[in-house]
Amino acid sequence: MKYSTNTSQHLTIGHVDAIDLAQSYGTPLYVYDVSKIRHTMRAFKAIFEKENVPYVVSYASKAFATKAIYQVAQQEGIHADIVSGGELYTALKAGFDPKHLSFNGNNKSWDELTVAVEKGVGTIIVDNFLELQILSEIAAQQNVKQDILLRISPGISAHTHEFISTGQQDSKFGFDLLTGQAKKAYDIAQKDENFNLRGLHAHIGSQIFDVTGFEKNAALLAETAQSWGWQPAVINVGGGFGIQYTSEDEPLPESEYANAIIRTLKGKAAEFDWKMPEIWIEPGRSIVGPAGQTLYTIGSRKDIPDLRHYLAVDGGMGDNIRPALYEANYSAVLANNPNAPTEEVVRVAGKYCESGDVLVWQQALPKTQPGDILSVLATGAYGYAMASNYNRNPRPAVVFVEEGKHQLVVARETYANLTALDKDYTLETTS
Ligand code: LLP
């Protein structure tokens, strides 16, 4: 693989020198190439337009939820899916049109639902019986007829890590189909005048590499509605399209997943003599994952003869928990000279006090020096979004680059930020 470089042999990201970025903004640093994000958003849209089917591409913002990304999504005319009051707040702060938001989640609170209805969130994807009840009350109080979808757990197991597989029957998400709970929810929702029930939703999992699960899911949702004698306006098949983290991952192009879903639903609409429903997809990782990378400064190393070389960097599980949590694999390049011949295989570790604090399990690299910049690739999804302050490390900054320009979109946390919410303990006790 040949990486884009400039005349100094430095890695470039969106035509910007990665070493300059590290110097200007410090490390660790999340860097996103916005043109890649736009490209993927447009590619998803183009497939539906080419096939001339009604659709909504809704960015699953849990993958990376900052004001800047909601603004890019809005510029590109795509919707966004949120899963918390915090994501809703961020989207609204970004100026995102609430009508273009959908709200997923298995335990939305009364407060979250109240604000969502008040602010005019377009679609609430109802997950369970309690939510049907409280959302109905909230909508009635506010005199709103709320558009909803029902989230179904379809009983489809996707071939992915158990913790990110959500479609199987033993899942906390959605109304169970096999035991009739979904039909019961449908009956309640249809009768409730506070709701405008528009369709069904099911998400089968994440980082999925083949189309069969998506085809099965789309077919199942259509067949389910048909079996209830109902023509839904929307079929939402969720997200989960896999991306490349290492050369071992072989994802399909977006078009294959989307085309398989479109084909299946066109077939079902014809079979059931339906008006073509809107097809909704919720890609998160595939939109932001490949567009992001994290720059780190290389520090200490530990060489255990005949066993392993550990190379430590100035970040770790606080900015990317995925290797520790899911044994996720990544690749990294030496940003000072990414195309230099490799000389050793190292394990890239972080600076956190845990043995599992690894960023890259196995990486061939040229010889490196302390102070060199390492870029871990494809960290754009579920990196910053899952970042923590473990060991009281501040969370890194986020920079967007596009066409040779760069802009800070999330400032680096400071030590002062870390104690900003702490209070002194002053209780007086007798002991
Ligand atoms: N829609 C729903 C209802 C979801 O639950 C998810 C992801 C998505 C869409 C987006 O899936 P994507 O296209 O990003 O695969 N933290 C894990 C991933 C958890 C995904 C949860 N739901 C990770 O780092 O791999």
Side-chain angles (χ1 to χ4, degrees), residues 60 62 104 151 164 201 203 206-207 239-241 282-285 322 326 382 386:
K62 75 195 77 178
N104 255 299
R151 179 163 179 173
I164 55 176
H201 170 288
H203 168 81
S206 205
Q207 185 61 353
F241 315 121
E282 297 172 338
R285 187 190 317 267
R322 299 192 70 262
Y326 314 119
Y382 307 108
M386 295 173 81

Side-chain angles (χ1 to χ4, degrees), residues 107-268:
N107 190 24
K108 305 177 191 84
S109 69
W110 180 278
D111 285 351
E112 286 174 321
L113 289 169
T114 301
V115 177
V117 175
E118 242 166 45
K119 300 289 179 189
V121 165
T123 306
I124 298 193
I125 303 181
V126 179
D127 189 278
N128 55 71
F129 291 106
L130 176 65
E131 189 180 345
L132 272 178
Q133 193 189 321
I134 63 182
L135 182 61
S136 176
E137 280 178 49
I138 291 167
Q141 268 173 12
Q142 298 189 31
N143 212 6
V144 166
K145 195 169 174 82
Q146 178 65 48
D147 281 357
I148 64 166
L149 306 182
L150 293 179
R151 179 163 179 173
I152 305 298
S153 66
I156 295 172
S157 299
H159 300 284
T160 187
H161 192 288
E162 189 190 342
F163 289 178
I164 55 176
S165 170
T166 49
Q168 72 278 15
Q169 190 187 13
D170 186 1
S171 157
K172 71 171 181 167
F173 295 106
F175 294 99
D176 190 61
L177 190 59
L178 304 175
T179 53
Q181 293 172 14
K183 174 65 166 60
K184 200 168 146 208
Y186 168 76
D187 290 337
I188 295 172
Q190 271 301 22
K191 275 195 220 103
D192 192 323
E193 58 193 20
N194 301 308
F195 295 143
N196 176 27
L197 174 61
R198 297 200 66 224
L200 296 179
H201 170 288
H203 168 81
I204 55 171
S206 205
Q207 185 61 353
I208 297 167
F209 286 117
D210 67 306
V211 298
T212 32
F214 294 106
E215 287 169 342
K216 274 199 216 160
N217 189 29
L220 186 74
L221 289 176
E223 285 157 9
T224 300
Q226 174 71 5
S227 74
W228 299 340
W230 176 46
Q231 258 198 57
V234 172
I235 297 277
N236 183 331
V237 296
F241 315 121
I243 66 162
Q244 183 170 52
Y245 286 102
T246 71
S247 54
E248 276 164 29
D249 298 327
E250 290 172 359
L252 300 169
E254 302 83 26
S255 55
E256 296 230 12
Y257 298 110
N259 276 320
I261 295 162
I262 295 169
R263 225 177 15 250
T264 306
L265 287 175
K266 272 188 171 172
K268 289 291 163 194

Side-chain angles (χ1 to χ4, degrees), residues 258-331:
N259 276 320
I261 295 162
I262 295 169
R263 225 177 15 250
T264 306
L265 287 175
K266 272 188 171 172
K268 289 291 163 194
E271 182 185 336
F272 303 148
D273 200 18
W274 284 358
K275 175 168 177 271
M276 187 65 200
E278 286 172 26
I279 304 176
W280 290 27
I281 58 169
E282 297 172 338
R285 187 190 317 267
S286 51
I287 287 180
V288 287
Q293 46 192 295
T294 314
L295 302 179
Y296 299 95
T297 302
I298 292 173
S300 64
R301 62 182 288 152
K302 174 175 177 180
D303 299 289
I304 313 172
D306 303 324
L307 187 58
R308 200 175 305 284
H309 302 293
Y310 281 97
L311 196 59
V313 297
D314 57 350
M317 64 192 294
D319 58 77
N320 189 358
I321 189 76
R322 299 192 70 262
L325 199 54
Y326 314 119
E327 296 174 340
N329 288 315
Y330 284 85
S331 350

